Amino acid sequence: MQVLRPGRIDKHIEVPLPDLKNKLEILLFATDAMPLATDVDLSSLAAHPRLLAASGAELIGVCRDAAFAALREASTGNTMDQATSRQGTAISVAARHFATALAKCPVGPNC
């Protein structure tokens, strides 16, 4: 790899993948400002088989994809709950939005 040639990077630091406790902390951080529906269980999401080898960035990406799924649903009027953007009410991110985000995530590393 050309990035690792001498003179490019003088330190190489390996960051291990987060364990279950750290995954939950990352998910809590990523969803802190996100209005979550009551059916979202971040503990079970952290232990989801598709996220076993996920990095912190990949976990945040799943949260971002779920939020975008909620926005897309609200903008098309295909909501199954009370939240729609056209009516000016709050949009909540539900478990189905996380399921949509996980469906785009391949099983194994590099979710």
Side-chain angles (χ1 to χ4, degrees):
M1 293 172 44
Q2 294 190 10
V3 174
L4 298 177
R5 285 191 311 195
R8 299 278 179 142
I9 297 177
D10 53 342
K11 300 282 186 233
H12 181 82
I13 302 171
E14 185 174 331
V15 179
L17 293 175
D19 60 8
L20 187 60
K21 178 181 173 259
N22 290 330
K23 284 181 187 179
L24 180 57
E25 290 178 11
I26 292 166
L27 290 171
L28 287 169
F29 173 78
T31 59
D32 184 44
M34 194 180 292
L36 296 177
T38 56
D39 64 346
V40 175
D41 181 13
L42 294 178
S43 297
S44 64
L45 183 62
H48 194 281
R50 288 187 182 246
L51 299 178
L52 289 178
S55 68
E58 291 164 336
L59 293 169
I60 290 173
V62 167
C63 294
R64 183 188 60 241
D65 289 347
F68 280 126
L71 289 171
R72 270 192 302 276
E73 182 181 272
S75 69
T76 60
N78 293 332
T79 59
M80 295 168 50
D81 58 5
Q82 76 285 358
T84 62
S85 62
R86 292 184 188 150
Q87 297 172 349
T89 58
I91 298 171
S92 60
V93 182
R96 68 182 177 278
H97 302 125
F98 281 98
T100 300
L102 286 171
K104 298 188 325 185
C105 185
V107 177
N110 301 325
C111 166

